Amino acid sequence: MHTDPSCVFCKIVAGQIPSRKLYEDDEFLAFHDIAPWAPVHFLIIPKAHWVSMADLSPAQEAMMGRLMMLAPRLALEAGCRPGPEGGFRMVCNTGAEGGQEVLHLHWHVMGGPRPWARG
Ligand code: AMP
Ligand code: ZN
């Protein structure tokens, strides 16, 4: 598995930095965002160090499919209400101009009653 010892999210995966975990399996980790925009705001990351969506190849197609299937389940478990009146937002900032600050692939999942702090 790719890891980068200087990466903050790889350190979370390794347990070297604490996080409020929501979910973990062999492939993914989900934890609450440290600076939430919304009443529910967590991140889903592959445990392997991929920089961003732009770093992926067709070999990661199935992994991305599994991540997308996991997200709605975790959103409900984290307190998002079912749609259509509930729901959630998924965001994947990619690259500097995409607003990406942490260079380890992550999806934001945000939801809960509005107004939100941001967004
Ligand atoms: P971005 O790279 O802009 O998509 O966002 C990175 C996100 O990671 C931000 O929303 C941060 O609040 C969040 N973040 C950074 N460090 C931590 C951490 N140690 N634990 C939880 N969330 C973090
Ligand atoms: Zn990493």
Side-chain angles (χ1 to χ4, degrees), residues 2-118:
H2 309 267
T3 60
D4 175 345
S6 66
C7 166
V8 62
F9 286 177
C10 284
K11 287 180 183 171
I12 286 177
V13 170
Q16 293 160 357
I17 291 180
S19 66
R20 288 175 53 220
K21 286 181 194 172
L22 268 165
Y23 175 84
E24 180 168 17
D25 63 24
D26 289 347
E27 193 172 33
F28 303 113
L29 180 64
F31 53 96
H32 293 278
D33 196 291
I34 207 167
W37 286 31
V40 175
H41 185 172
F42 63 92
L43 306 175
I44 307 178
I45 68 169
K47 288 184 168 178
H49 181 86
W50 305 105
V51 172
S52 75
M53 295 281 281
D55 198 29
L56 302 182
S57 69
Q60 283 79 54
E61 212 171 74
M63 181 269 285
M64 282 308 304
R66 287 190 289 272
L67 190 155
M68 288 296 158
M69 296 307 290
L70 181 61
R73 179 158 80 76
L74 295 186
L76 288 178
E77 286 177 14
C80 296
R81 293 187 302 143
E85 62 284 344
F88 58 91
R89 174 184 294 177
M90 283 184 78
V91 171
C92 182
N93 298 323
T94 302
E97 293 186 351
Q100 185 178 10
E101 292 180 354
V102 176
L103 299 183
H104 179 128
L105 174 62
H106 56 279
W107 284 84
H108 295 256
V109 181
M110 291 169 274
R114 287 180 177 271
W116 293 356
R118 296 173 71 181

